[in-house]
Amino acid sequence: MGNQGLLQHLANGISLGSLYALIAIGYTMVYGILRLINFAHGDIFMLGIYITYYGILFTSIPWWIVFILASVLTGLIGLLLEKVAYRPLRESPRITILISAIGASFFLQNFGIVVFGGRPKAFPIPNVFNKVIKLGGVSISLITFIIPLVTLLLLLGLTYFITKTKTGMAMRALSKDYETASLMGIDINRIISITFFIGSFLAAVGGIMWGIRYPQLMPLMGVMPGLKCFIAAVIGGIGNITGAVLGGFILGLGEIMLIALLPKLTGYRDAFAFILLIVILLIKPTGLMGEKITEKV
Amino acid sequence: MKRKLWLLLLVLALAVSTLAGCSQSEETGGSSDADVIKIGVFEPMTGANAAGGEMTVEGIELANEIKGEILGKKVELVIVDNKSDKVEAANAASRLIEKDEVVAIIGSYGSSLSMAAGDIVNKGQVPAVGCSPTNPLVTLNNDYYFRVCFIDPFQGTVMANYAFNELGAKKAAIIQDVTQDYSVGLSKYFVDAFKELTGDEDSIVEISSYNTGDQDFTAQLTNVKGKNPDVIFAPGNYGESALLIKQARDLGMDTPILGGDTWEAPELVEIGGDSVEGTVFSTHFTAEAPVTDVSGVFLEEYKEKYNKEANAFAALGYDAYMVILDAIEKADSTDPKVIRDKIAETTEFMGATGIITLDENGDAVKSAVIKKVVDGEFEYLTTVEPN
């Protein structure tokens, strides 16, 4: 493999990694605040792409407004999902909500099959994104530059929101202790709704970027990215937003480099992600940037 | 109370959607078993092969509409979705045999899916006729599996010939889907034929792999690009292939890319867009060069019912149904074993895709058609006769 090949592989890896990172942010945020692994996150991501698809195809609204509207709508669906599937179970043991999350995930998948149909659809990519940039011998599509940029912007925005705003402060308070937070006058329901809205909004943004990069839409398309991004979030330390981005990049680059350097092992690409998950859980269960869990006595 | 209502609603919605998603069986209750003959169909209606399954089922339903009665009884189709999944395919075949007690089975698109049902139809002693599974292993050593299409040793040779003679390729790279027996088998036959044509053991410069469901192929393609092949042979599901070709072009590769019959799906062009222009693949049938009198009838009826041009999978679905009905008629019985013997004897049957004679393995020997993507349409290039 020449230098050019290696550079191309690096570009490919960063492109894939930033997509994983983008979806992992929403995953990890919901967990960080609610201690709930929202298994339906991947399916919310799928809904986001389909909503954008129908928005572009069946309305004459400019694509960038569709992108925003679809993300907001997906955010609202996430909010609704929390109200229906998680809120009634908030007092129940954690495992109950986890099972409910898995149920919600299956529901959304089958809903997708019935409503959108089993045959794949092609994402209508706005022409702006169809550019390929050549740097020396390395070809990089424009979207490859946009995705990391979007990821970075959202990361900064979200970090600001959580650390500097009042709502963000309430979220952090909530993540430490429900009861005390509500005693301090924090409207728990409202904060959790906002959390879910933002998480699902981010899933939709990730979905739209995914659709531009891989324009094949299927009702079950959220399953694998969902799992991979869950792994990315765990690698980075679930609950930690910067960690999720880091985890996404590690996973994306790792997958590409596995194929680049050990082409014989391509079939084990997905296995690689899961092995990585197991190794991380064995060696550093809190992830690379995770907080130490201190048991309260 | 309100909370319970929500939950109830959710559970109900879940149940309904799961039921609807699982089995799209078309059972019309009421008619007693005595006056209907049930033919089972297991095809992928969802998942990675959904387009292929749907196209095939369209052809089968058309055939059922045209010839819906045999031996004075109504023929009823029991259609089950195998979800492009090997386990589901095996379950679907069991269900058709045990629960629905069908006399024969049609399916499935996708060699792996057919092979998953192979043992079950053999043990259940119900004949199955595949429409488009091309891997030789589908029918090999299985007395109850037949097919109305050609097999991959022929298809692989056809494409190797095309690469060598028409494109003048001396070095080829393979990108295969390791989870599809179809893709792996076809690649192997291409490799064998290409090595023989070039007389060069090193003429295959790279064999790269991926899994069904993968979306990113940039790493494999970058590896292939480094080897500088004259042609890339990449048989696989239409969806994955469309993404693969698109990414190849984005990476600045203009190497010709060839594939097999699974590429004949509108999704290839929809998903791949301009990138798939100029790609070439082999298939079973073309509306542009009808081969028999039946082809003409089929094309006309198809256009009337679905208001679009027919494709190879619909034609093969049509043929599979007609071959089974012909066998039932000759058997003058609804005993699956007798029907099996009559299917095995099929000779010079006039089908939409050609004249079908099943050999000792239960395979049809037929010509292949080569098509090219031009302006977003599948353009007919040539027909290759088997030797």
Side-chain angles (χ1 to χ4, degrees), chain A residues 1 4-5 8-9 12 15-16 80 84-85 87-89 100 103 106-108 110-111 113-114 118-122 125 130 132 134 137-141 210 212-218 220-221 255-256 259-261 263 266-270, chain B residues 3 6-7 10 13-14 16-18 20-22 24 45-48 50-52 54-55 58 178 206-220 222-223 225 238-240 243 246-247 249-252 265-267 270-271 308:
Chain A
M1 186 186 346
Q4 243 177 40
Q8 183 75 62
H9 279 304
N12 299 340
S15 158
L16 184 66
L80 187 74
V84 177
R87 186 166 298 177
L89 298 168
S100 179
F106 283 147
F107 167 72
L108 291 176
N110 286 295
F111 173 84
I113 292 174
V114 173
R119 282 176 78 155
K121 299 200 161 35
I125 307 170
N130 270 332
V132 176
K134 282 196 178 134
V138 183
S139 296
I140 304 168
S141 54
W210 187 279
I212 294 172
R213 185 91 176 91
Y214 310 114
Q216 184 185 204
L217 273 59
M218 284 197 284
L220 300 186
M221 68 184 296
E255 273 188 24
I256 296 285
I259 303 171
L261 304 172
T266 4
Y268 298 97
R269 175 186 197 149
D270 294 339
Chain B
R3 182 178 295 180
W6 265 116
L7 268 176
L10 187 75
L14 189 70
V16 168
S17 74
T18 314
C22 281
Q24 302 178 321
M45 308 296 279
T46 53
E54 210 176 294
M55 290 188 283
E58 280 176 358
V178 282
E206 173 88 8
I207 296 182
S208 204
S209 311
Y210 64 90
N211 296 338
T212 294
D214 280 1
Q215 308 281 302
D216 190 282
F217 308 97
T218 49
Q220 288 93 331
T222 305
N223 283 345
K225 191 183 181 186
Y238 49 85
E240 280 85 351
L243 290 178
K246 184 172 159 37
Q247 287 166 27
R249 301 305 180 223
D250 282 355
L251 286 172
E267 278 83 353
E270 285 164 21
I271 295 166
K308 59 184 176 189

Side-chain angles (χ1 to χ4, degrees), chain A residues 26-38 175 238-239 293:
Chain A
Y27 227 121
T28 216
M29 200 188 89
V30 169
Y31 180 84
I33 288 153
L34 299 177
R35 303 285 166 222
L36 159 70
I37 297 170
N38 181 14
S175 74
I238 191 145
I293 302 163

Side-chain angles (χ1 to χ4, degrees), chain A residues 64-285:
Chain A
W64 56 276
I65 300 181
V66 172
F67 282 12
I68 297 168
L69 286 180
S71 303
V72 171
L73 190 61
T74 311
L76 292 176
I77 291 174
L79 192 150
L80 187 74
L81 175 77
E82 190 271 330
K83 276 211 163 95
V84 177
Y86 306 146
R87 186 166 298 177
L89 298 168
R90 200 176 292 155
E91 307 301 326
S92 323
R94 190 147 290 157
I95 188 83
T96 317
I97 309 188
L98 194 73
I99 293 167
S100 179
I102 295 170
S105 166
F106 283 147
F107 167 72
L108 291 176
Q109 286 165 20
N110 286 295
F111 173 84
I113 292 174
V114 173
V115 175
F116 309 132
R119 282 176 78 155
K121 299 200 161 35
F123 191 80
I125 307 170
N127 267 331
V128 197
F129 297 105
N130 270 332
K131 286 202 183 73
V132 176
I133 296 159
K134 282 196 178 134
L135 292 171
V138 183
S139 296
I140 304 168
S141 54
L142 184 63
I143 188 70
T144 311
F145 288 103
I146 297 176
I147 298 169
L149 216 64
V150 172
T151 309
L152 210 67
L153 276 177
L154 287 173
L155 174 66
L156 289 176
L158 206 62
T159 313
Y160 175 82
F161 179 77
I162 288 176
T163 50
K164 304 282 182 199
T165 66
K166 217 162 181 184
T167 316
M169 204 192 288
M171 282 180 175
R172 279 182 294 142
L174 205 70
S175 74
K176 300 278 184 224
D177 193 330
Y178 268 33
E179 274 174 31
T180 318
S182 71
L183 284 174
M184 298 295 145
I186 293 171
D187 183 350
I188 293 194
N189 284 339
R190 190 177 139 264
I191 299 298
I192 291 181
S193 287
I194 294 174
T195 309
F196 264 85
F197 176 82
I198 298 176
S200 305
F201 179 90
L202 292 172
V205 175
I208 292 166
M209 295 295 135
W210 187 279
I212 294 172
R213 185 91 176 91
Y214 310 114
Q216 184 185 204
L217 273 59
M218 284 197 284
L220 300 186
M221 68 184 296
V223 178
M224 221 30 185
L227 280 175
K228 292 268 179 78
C229 294
F230 169 66
I231 295 172
V234 172
I235 293 172
I238 191 145
N240 185 309
I241 293 170
T242 322
V245 173
L246 188 70
F249 275 106
I250 291 176
L251 192 60
L253 268 171
E255 273 188 24
I256 296 285
M257 286 306 164
L258 176 82
I259 303 171
L261 304 172
L262 304 162
K264 289 265 177 301
L265 296 182
T266 4
Y268 298 97
R269 175 186 197 149
D270 294 339
F272 163 77
F274 293 111
I275 290 170
L276 203 60
L277 174 71
I278 295 169
V279 170
I280 283 280
L281 286 177
L282 284 176
I283 297 174
K284 204 168 182 313

